[in-house]
Amino acid sequence: MNGETAWALYENRLRRVSAYIHDHLDEELDMDNLAGIACMSSYHWHRIYRAVHGETLAATVKRLRLHRAAGDIVATDLSVREIARRSGYPNLQSFNRIFKSVYGMPPAQYRKEGSHKAFEPSPYGKTATMFDITLRKIEPIQLLGVPHIGSYMQIGKAFETLFSTLFARGLAKPTMRMIGVYLDDPDIVPAEKLRSVACVTVEGEVAVVAPFETRTLDGGEYAVLRHKGPYADMYKAYHWLYADWLPASGRKLRDSVMFEEYLNNPRDVPPTELLTDIHMPLV
């Protein structure tokens, strides 16, 4: 078996395990069972997974469950106890402890005081806190991406596929920028039908073989809001951009997609330190 064939085999296995993890977060995810899905011994498979993704399988499962839990805390009325149960924690105390260690405060306090609260309207109808907007002119950006259908909170599944495939095909480069393109309005399109694309920037010719697709971001002027904090909070920033900043700015929207550039990696920093530039296209 030559090297190219071997990596193609690993690529399919990485994709299969990643998809299974994202689709079964409500279930018990036994590490040996995941190795079985990869059709390899746990001894070897765990090492391959960590070499490609930079974290253990157990760390991935924990990170994804807490990411979903943060989204549930911010966007739903589910009780913290129910969210803890869905996240696989045997009791509320252990969930509170783990959540606080990652997000900086217990889940009940996060629901009341998390960074998403900064974007909520004051009693006078406007957001109490103002945020700096940078106006940037950019050139068109060439992207290589993996499409995703479903909740924007779950686009991580497509990013997992994107990066594991890039690695397996020897295409990953440290200069690649990580970008999410969002094609629908989540306030009017059902979550299960939302379209998005997990992307990286590319230069030159790249073979476009499934699951990849190419896309070009339009050049031009953008209003850029730098968001610091968990991805679960960002929908509030979008509402602020549309409801507060845009009318006050006197600017008009351009018929082009909004996109996000992720400036650091959720595997490397805690959710409270994540930096995201949200780009709104302007005429």
Side-chain angles (χ1 to χ4, degrees), residues 5-24:
T5 304
W7 272 118
L9 179 62
Y10 288 143
E11 174 187 328
N12 290 331
R13 294 177 180 187
L14 285 162
R15 193 181 307 167
R16 190 162 63 234
V17 171
S18 178
Y20 187 89
I21 291 172
H22 282 81
D23 293 342
H24 296 82

Side-chain angles (χ1 to χ4, degrees), residues 72-91:
D72 287 342
I73 290 167
V74 170
T76 77
D77 294 324
L78 289 172
S79 70
V80 174
R81 187 176 297 279
E82 175 62 16
I83 293 170
R85 186 196 63 77
R86 290 186 69 215
S87 302
Y89 288 87
N91 57 68

Side-chain angles (χ1 to χ4, degrees), residues 119-121 127 185-187 233-247 278 280:
F119 293 96
E120 291 191 347
T127 304
D185 183 345
D187 288 333
D233 298 351
M234 286 201 293
Y235 79 100
K236 297 282 189 178
Y238 277 83
H239 287 178
W240 178 82
L241 274 170
Y242 278 100
D244 284 18
W245 183 83
L246 187 63
I278 301 171
M280 172 184 276

Side-chain angles (χ1 to χ4, degrees), residues 151-256:
S151 168
Y152 288 160
M153 280 288 289
Q154 303 304 320
I155 194 175
K157 181 178 180 180
F159 273 112
E160 298 278 354
T161 297
L162 172 64
F163 282 105
S164 63
T165 306
L166 287 169
F167 186 96
R169 296 181 186 179
L171 299 174
K173 297 180 180 178
T175 55
M176 287 175 164
R177 295 153 59 194
M178 186 165 60
I179 289 176
V181 179
Y182 300 90
L183 304 176
D184 296 308
D185 183 345
D187 288 333
I188 59 176
V189 176
E192 66 273 12
K193 295 183 179 180
L194 290 171
R195 299 168 300 149
S196 54
V197 190
C199 303
V200 291
T201 57
V202 291
E203 297 179 1
E205 296 294 324
V206 177
V208 183
V209 179
F212 292 149
E213 67 177 38
T214 57
R215 178 173 292 272
T216 301
L217 290 175
D218 293 337
E221 190 170 29
Y222 289 80
V224 183
L225 184 155
R226 177 159 295 181
H227 179 273
K228 182 179 181 181
Y231 297 144
D233 298 351
M234 286 201 293
Y235 79 100
K236 297 282 189 178
Y238 277 83
H239 287 178
W240 178 82
L241 274 170
Y242 278 100
D244 284 18
W245 183 83
L246 187 63
S249 72
R251 302 298 300 268
K252 294 183 179 180
L253 290 172
R254 177 160 41 94
D255 187 15
S256 187

Side-chain angles (χ1 to χ4, degrees), residues 85-189:
R85 186 196 63 77
R86 290 186 69 215
S87 302
Y89 288 87
N91 57 68
L92 186 59
Q93 291 74 21
S94 61
F95 176 66
N96 285 344
R97 184 176 63 255
I98 296 297
F99 190 93
K100 181 179 180 180
S101 71
V102 175
Y103 282 81
M105 60 183 73
Q109 182 182 355
Y110 182 78
R111 175 169 270 169
K112 296 178 180 179
E113 302 175 15
S115 54
H116 57 286
K117 289 296 181 179
F119 293 96
E120 291 191 347
S122 72
Y124 306 102
K126 293 292 184 179
T127 304
T129 306
M130 298 301 292
F131 295 87
D132 289 333
I133 297 292
T134 303
L135 299 180
R136 298 181 193 169
K137 287 187 177 180
I138 68 172
E139 297 297 319
I141 302 174
Q142 300 299 316
L143 301 175
L144 188 68
V146 171
H148 172 71
I149 303 293
S151 168
Y152 288 160
M153 280 288 289
Q154 303 304 320
I155 194 175
K157 181 178 180 180
F159 273 112
E160 298 278 354
T161 297
L162 172 64
F163 282 105
S164 63
T165 306
L166 287 169
F167 186 96
R169 296 181 186 179
L171 299 174
K173 297 180 180 178
T175 55
M176 287 175 164
R177 295 153 59 194
M178 186 165 60
I179 289 176
V181 179
Y182 300 90
L183 304 176
D184 296 308
D185 183 345
D187 288 333
I188 59 176
V189 176

